Amino acid sequence: AFSLYANIDILRPYFDVEPVQVRTRLLESMVPVKMINFPQKIAGELYGPLMLVFTLVAILLHGMKTSDTIIREGTLMGTAIGTCFGYWLGVSSFIYFLAYLCNAQITMVQMLSLLGYGLFGHCITLFVTYNIHFHSLFYIFWLGVGGLSTLRMVAVLVSRTVGHTQRLILCGTLAALHMLFLLYLHFAYHKVVEGILDTLEGPNMPPFQRVARDIPVVSNAVLNATAKAMALTL
């Protein structure tokens, strides 16, 4: 059993891909194809999706640094990795289970690949909006770039599902989770990290100083009294 499951050659077919193919699939992930008569092809490889998840982790770390948030070393990295990989693996498993109930023709590896390449739009949106801080620009990218990647996944699932009710349940769930996850990363990610820090620090410990202390403002009355005392002394 150890020789069977510890053999790395089992994973080799899922990562044997050329860079040109990855580039083509990244571009295709932003182009919805309206074809429901035949099942659309899904790449059965995990190299591109895995690299996109790591890229999303790096973008989240970059967003925390540009927001001038200082936390203890290691906590932010673990939270970013847990958030990205948790969404990728968790939502893929949930949608695969839902696809099994709806009789959709898709495997677990194909679901991981489909959702992984769907994160390409999230990476573009977050990278731009973390550097250009305008909420209106974020909503434009959220609807435009994020919507295109979501429509691409929906179109693939529609072509592999039979029945209007099954298509509505499966595609509606995937679209809602994918778009809401992008909103979560943009608005709630900093609050999640700060909440984890407060939990780790405990209620009895002094709060972790994240900003420089403000210098107390001295009132004009104190300044006048000090000046008068110095004048009388002289």
Side-chain angles (χ1 to χ4, degrees):
F2 179 79
S3 301
L4 178 62
Y5 292 104
N7 192 359
I8 197 173
D9 291 335
I10 299 177
L11 301 177
R12 190 183 302 276
Y14 303 113
F15 293 89
D16 187 12
V17 60
E18 297 294 332
V20 178
Q21 295 176 340
V22 175
R23 182 186 61 186
T24 303
R25 289 164 184 169
L26 287 175
L27 296 177
E28 291 178 351
S29 66
M30 303 296 297
V31 181
V33 179
K34 186 178 180 181
M35 183 179 66
I36 62 176
N37 296 328
F38 300 96
Q40 298 186 25
K41 184 179 179 181
I42 303 176
E45 53 94 5
L46 299 177
Y47 175 78
L50 188 62
M51 293 300 104
L52 281 172
V53 174
F54 279 118
T55 302
L56 186 60
V57 171
I59 292 174
L60 291 181
L61 295 175
H62 170 69
M64 293 299 295
K65 291 180 180 179
T66 55
S67 62
D68 297 331
T69 302
I70 302 174
I71 63 173
R72 293 175 180 175
E73 184 178 0
T75 304
L76 176 60
M77 177 68 72
T79 305
I81 292 177
T83 301
C84 297
F85 277 90
Y87 171 79
W88 181 44
L89 299 176
V91 174
S92 296
S93 302
F94 176 71
I95 296 298
Y96 173 72
F97 174 73
L98 199 61
Y100 174 78
L101 297 179
C102 296
N103 295 325
Q105 301 176 5
I106 191 170
T107 62
M108 184 61 189
V109 175
Q110 290 176 337
M111 190 65 237
L112 287 170
S113 178
L114 181 65
L115 186 63
Y117 277 109
L119 293 175
F120 182 56
H122 286 30
C123 293
I124 296 177
T125 302
L126 293 178
F127 180 76
V128 174
T129 55
Y130 276 162
N131 292 279
I132 304 175
H133 304 283
F134 292 105
H135 287 297
S136 58
L137 181 64
F138 167 74
Y139 287 118
I140 293 175
F141 274 81
W142 179 65
L143 292 175
V145 181
L148 287 177
S149 62
T150 304
L151 287 177
R152 169 67 180 182
M153 295 188 298
V154 168
V156 173
L157 288 180
V158 166
S159 66
R160 290 176 170 265
T161 309
V162 178
H164 296 287
T165 304
Q166 290 84 350
R167 290 174 177 174
L168 181 61
I169 294 175
L170 184 61
C171 298
T173 303
L174 177 60
L177 290 175
H178 200 63
M179 297 296 287
L180 290 176
F181 180 65
L182 183 55
L183 286 176
Y184 166 76
L185 292 179
H186 182 75
F187 289 105
Y189 187 75
H190 299 269
K191 296 180 181 179
V192 170
V193 174
E194 292 176 358
I196 292 177
L197 284 180
D198 295 338
T199 303
L200 294 177
E201 291 172 0
N204 297 325
M205 296 183 63
F208 187 75
Q209 189 68 29
R210 296 182 176 86
V211 297
R213 295 183 179 274
D214 296 332
I215 300 176
V217 180
V218 181
S219 61
N220 294 329
V222 176
L223 292 177
N224 295 333
T226 304
K228 291 179 180 179
M230 292 178 63
L232 292 175
T233 304
L234 296 176

